[in-house]
């Protein structure tokens, strides 16, 4: 009786499935990966833009190609995301430019945080819609992919990010390195800014905005890592004690008293 319960346990079933997948992959990795190794040309991918209902709707991001047919109400003709169908429009995932030259896979001129966001979009497609036991550094499912009710990874686009053997190009490796650098800088910026507490803030259409400090006085300070992250200089509001106000680079809000704890912005 006890043995029967153990055998029928869902945990045992999961363990058996994982073990079976691992054994199959060990002895026949090409069998499991063959479906993922399909290579598309730009011309082939363009046919999968939702206009022909007899073939799947596909989209590319950083050269990875996904079947999004189950979401045809969004990705099909007339759908809000149809501009992504039949092409790799990686740049548009962060630029918001869904017309003309904006629908491109080129990341030229994007900041490290923008490239990081595109890499995260690719990971979102992989991790949300495919069942992978592990991912390679290129975001490829290494072990096993199960059919998903929404989206599946179906191959790679030959071009900027993958060559005609399906290997990652210097552009993909460069994008991933830039994204990793952006993640490191972002963590460093968070750590640095955590040393100096930020201001409280609020805004309303009737009264406008204001910043205030529960302890200390509000000052505008530059965010030194922002140029490396976004390509632009920006400032933030931080709270400083009175004996810290003689530091260089602290800016009093316009129209605000030197020792005011609340300032209109």
């Amino acid at each position: 009786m006890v043995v029967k319960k153990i055998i029928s346990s869902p945990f045992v079933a999961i363990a058996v499935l994982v073990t079976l997948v691992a054994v199959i992959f060990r002895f026949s990795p090409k069998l499991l990966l063959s479906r993922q190794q399909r290579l598309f040309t730009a011309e082939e991918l363009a046919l999968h833009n939702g206009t022909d209902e007899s073939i799947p709707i596909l989209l590319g991001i950083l050269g990875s190609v996904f079947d999004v047919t189950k979401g045809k109400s969004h990705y099909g003709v007339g759908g809000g995301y149809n501009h992504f169908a039949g092409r790799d429009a990686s740049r548009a995932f962060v630029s918001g430019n869904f017309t003309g030259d904006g629908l491109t896979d080129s990341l030229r001129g994007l900041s490290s945080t923008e490239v990081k966001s595109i890499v995260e979009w690719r990971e979102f497609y992989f991790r949300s819609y495919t069942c992978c036991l592990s991912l390679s550094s290129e975001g490829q499912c290494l072990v096993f992919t199960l059919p998903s009710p929404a989206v599946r990874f179906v191959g790679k686009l030959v071009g900027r990010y993958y060559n005609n053997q399906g290997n990652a190009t210097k552009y993909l490796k460069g994008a991933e390195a830039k994204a990793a650098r952006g993640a490191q800088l972002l963590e460093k910026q968070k750590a640095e800014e955590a040393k100096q507490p930020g201001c409280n803030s609020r805004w309303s259409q009737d009264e406008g905005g204001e910043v205030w400090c529960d302890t200390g006085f509000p000052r505008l300070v530059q965010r030194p890592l922002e140029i490396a992250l976004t390509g632009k200089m920006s400032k933030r509001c931080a709270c400083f004690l009175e004996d810290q106000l003689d530091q260089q680079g602290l800016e009093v809000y316009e129209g605000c008293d030197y020792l005011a704890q609340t300032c209109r912005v």
Side-chain angles (χ1 to χ4, degrees):
M1 191 69 168
V2 174
V3 173
K4 185 176 181 181
K5 287 183 177 180
I6 292 175
I7 293 175
S8 62
S9 168
F11 298 104
V12 172
I14 292 171
V16 170
L17 175 61
V18 172
T19 302
L20 179 61
V21 168
V23 170
I24 294 174
F25 179 70
R26 179 178 178 183
F27 291 103
S28 187
K30 290 184 179 180
L31 177 63
L32 289 174
L33 293 178
S34 60
R35 191 176 187 182
Q36 294 177 280
Q37 294 300 319
R38 180 177 173 185
L39 301 178
F40 295 85
T41 64
E43 292 74 21
E44 288 172 333
L45 185 60
L47 298 175
H48 296 266
N49 62 0
T51 57
D52 185 343
E53 295 187 358
S54 68
I55 61 176
I57 302 172
L58 306 180
L59 68 79
I61 178 168
L62 295 176
S64 293
V65 179
F66 296 89
D67 182 337
V68 294
T69 308
K70 292 293 180 69
K72 64 181 178 180
S73 60
H74 302 291
Y75 295 100
V77 176
Y81 303 128
N82 179 244
H83 39 258
F84 289 118
R87 55 165 60 94
D88 186 332
S90 295
R91 189 184 191 90
F93 277 86
V94 296
S95 70
N97 183 356
F98 304 130
T99 60
D101 293 340
L103 294 171
T104 176
D105 62 354
S106 172
L107 308 185
R108 185 179 179 85
L110 294 184
S111 68
S112 58
T113 50
E114 289 172 321
V115 175
K116 174 177 174 288
S117 293
I118 294 172
V119 170
E120 288 172 348
W121 269 109
R122 184 192 63 180
E123 299 308 306
F124 170 77
Y125 277 98
F126 271 118
R127 291 199 169 102
S128 295
Y129 300 122
T130 58
C131 247
C132 296
L133 297 184
S134 65
L135 290 175
S136 73
S137 61
E138 300 170 13
Q140 178 182 339
C141 185
L142 286 176
V143 180
F144 195 49
T145 300
L146 295 174
S148 158
V151 175
R152 13 183 219 104
F153 172 65
V154 294
K156 302 170 183 176
L157 175 63
V158 175
R160 190 183 300 274
Y161 299 109
Y162 290 99
N163 62 24
N164 54 16
Q165 280 80 46
N167 297 320
T169 66
K170 64 179 182 180
Y171 296 103
L172 180 57
K173 294 175 182 177
E176 291 175 334
K178 190 169 186 176
R181 175 61 175 160
Q184 292 172 349
L185 287 172
L186 193 59
E187 288 303 311
K188 184 176 180 180
Q189 178 171 271
K190 288 179 180 179
E192 289 296 320
E193 292 184 357
K195 297 176 183 177
Q196 197 67 45
C199 305
N200 302 301
S201 65
R202 60 174 163 242
W203 182 90
S204 69
Q205 189 170 359
D206 295 331
E207 299 181 4
E210 67 177 2
V211 295
W212 75 96
C213 296
D214 296 324
T215 302
F217 309 94
R219 292 292 187 271
L220 278 170
V221 292
Q222 289 188 343
R223 308 177 79 185
L225 295 178
E226 196 68 10
I227 287 184
L229 282 166
T230 66
K232 301 176 182 178
M233 177 62 77
S234 70
K235 300 177 181 179
R236 74 180 185 104
C237 182
C239 298
F240 294 84
L241 300 177
E242 187 170 358
D243 61 0
Q244 297 175 309
L245 296 180
D246 58 351
Q247 297 180 34
Q248 289 187 346
L250 304 190
E251 181 181 337
V252 180
Y253 278 90
E254 184 177 355
C256 193
D257 293 337
Y258 186 78
L259 293 179
Q261 288 188 289
T262 300
C263 296
R264 306 295 300 180
V265 296

